[in-house]
Amino acid sequence: VIDGKSGVNAEYLALFEEGERLIDKQADCYRLSDRGLFCYLRWMENIEDEKGARLKNWAELDAVLGGCSVHKSLEYAGLATHYPILTDDAISIRLALRQEGVFLPGFWPNEYHLSNRLYSTLLCIPVDSLYEPNELMGLARWIVNYVDQH
């Protein structure tokens, strides 16, 4: 039962099962392109730098948002792609950030508008080396200010 509506649960399960059937039908095999393989090997060549950047970005975000973090382990942060936090309304925060030109990922499209607590509360901030610690600190402070005002 989702939000006390048993029909919604049945609808969700039917959609999930349909998705599983579509995946099972998929028979094509894909391989990494030569360019993709080159990019991956180049990235792996610099993996220690990437780990260092992610750890630094994680620590910066943790200094501001640590009380909301889903993960508490820096061991996880070395290979983390995102810093996950729980909020009361991740959807509103993502929408407000979008108006500021900042796009945080929403991992599960909710095209059927089913009530899903994880979808509505989980906010994930990228921590990879594409982002500088000062950018992430600004974002973290923006999120704290937004939450305080709403």
Side-chain angles (χ1 to χ4, degrees):
V1 177
I2 300 174
D3 279 352
K5 301 175 187 174
S6 60
V8 174
N9 195 32
E11 181 183 359
Y12 170 81
L13 291 174
L15 292 169
F16 182 84
E17 288 170 4
E18 177 62 21
E20 289 293 311
R21 280 192 292 278
L22 290 172
I23 290 169
D24 290 342
K25 284 183 190 177
Q26 196 276 333
D28 295 330
C29 293
Y30 299 96
R31 77 175 217 34
L32 194 58
S33 69
D34 291 340
R35 185 179 191 305
L37 180 59
F38 173 77
C39 290
Y40 174 74
L41 292 173
R42 192 172 195 195
W43 183 80
M44 286 301 294
E45 186 177 276
N46 298 313
I47 191 70
E48 292 307 317
D49 292 338
E50 181 66 26
K51 283 181 182 178
R54 290 176 186 216
L55 283 169
K56 186 172 184 176
N57 285 342
W58 181 280
E60 294 289 335
L61 287 169
D62 206 48
V64 177
L65 301 170
C68 304
S69 177
V70 175
H71 285 282
K72 300 295 182 192
S73 170
L74 280 179
E75 182 178 305
Y76 167 81
L79 292 174
T81 56
H82 296 83
Y83 185 88
I85 61 172
L86 292 177
T87 68
D88 288 336
D89 189 358
I91 297 168
S92 293
I93 294 171
R94 271 197 303 274
L95 290 173
L97 281 167
R98 214 174 273 163
Q99 291 176 348
E100 301 286 328
V102 177
F103 300 89
L104 292 184
F107 291 103
W108 306 278
N110 194 10
E111 63 185 273
Y112 297 102
H113 307 290
L114 299 173
S115 179
N116 180 327
R117 188 169 180 272
L118 186 60
Y119 179 83
S120 63
T121 61
L122 184 65
L123 193 64
C124 295
I125 304 168
V127 295
D128 59 74
S129 62
L130 295 174
Y131 305 94
E132 293 293 324
N134 62 328
E135 293 175 300
L136 294 175
M137 285 299 286
L139 175 59
R141 288 187 185 110
W142 188 97
I143 291 170
V144 168
N145 289 336
Y146 181 88
V147 169
D148 286 347
Q149 292 174 8
H150 294 88

